[in-house]
Amino acid sequence: MVVLPSRGVPARRQWAGAWLGLVGIPAVTAALAAAREHLSLATPVLLVLSVVVTVALVGGLRPAVPAALAGALCLNFFFLPPVGTFTIADPQNWVALFAFLAVSLVASNLSAVARARTDEAEGRRDELARLFDLSRDVLMMTDSEEALSTLARSISRRFDLEF
């Protein structure tokens, strides 16, 4: 079952994730391309993957998918021989590129799902705290003619309702 947690992610966080991908992938690529001769392929792959996972944590899966594709293209162009082209000479590099793409998409989905569940758990925690406070208010009420009015004010206050 494929979960698309970006649907529940606020638009502001999705935009933040998209900007992080737009800035992060080129920044990591530029920083590593200068020292490409001294690096193994694993270094740029892991750093680009970490940017993609961070994009997923911040903005959900929707901005992470384009970041993963952009990362794969940058890895192909700047780090896989022949460098400077979108051609891949060694068949093993095709495997590495598809493995990067698959791992980045799976990791992005998992981190986005974890973030969505964390947000959901925090919402439930807040709801339980409100219900606990309301139950405490009800238990502290005395039998009086004002009890229903006091109960209504308490519910209104705890759940941010207009009274």
Side-chain angles (χ1 to χ4, degrees):
M1 179 167 119
V2 176
V3 178
L4 295 175
S6 293
R7 292 182 186 173
V9 177
R12 195 173 89 206
R13 275 194 14 213
Q14 286 186 31
W15 280 108
W19 278 109
L20 181 62
L22 284 172
V23 172
I25 299 290
V28 167
T29 302
L32 295 175
R36 139 180 66 233
E37 295 83 25
H38 307 291
L39 301 173
S40 70
L41 182 59
T43 302
V45 166
L46 289 174
L47 289 175
V48 171
L49 180 63
S50 66
V51 171
V52 172
V53 171
T54 304
V55 168
L57 282 172
V58 171
L61 190 60
R62 258 185 212 142
V65 170
L69 293 173
L73 289 173
C74 286
L75 288 171
N76 181 359
F77 191 82
F78 291 102
F79 298 103
L80 294 178
V83 173
T85 68
F86 286 108
T87 305
I88 298 178
D90 188 1
Q92 290 181 350
N93 288 339
W94 278 106
V95 173
L97 191 62
F98 283 120
F100 164 79
L101 198 53
V103 167
S104 64
L105 291 175
V106 168
S108 297
N109 190 34
L110 290 175
S111 62
V113 167
R115 176 65 181 233
R117 288 194 177 154
T118 300
D119 292 346
E120 183 181 330
E122 288 173 355
R124 287 183 181 172
R125 181 199 61 207
D126 294 344
E127 185 178 319
L128 283 173
R130 276 192 232 124
L131 288 171
F132 173 77
D133 291 340
L134 178 62
S135 65
R136 188 181 55 209
D137 292 347
V138 168
L139 289 173
M140 295 185 71
M141 274 188 228
T142 59
D143 287 337
S144 69
E145 293 178 11
E146 299 175 1
L148 288 177
S149 174
T150 305
L151 178 61
R153 277 194 300 276
S154 183
I155 291 171
S156 172
R157 184 178 68 242
R158 297 293 178 201
F159 292 96
D160 298 325
L161 304 172
E162 291 184 25
F163 181 65

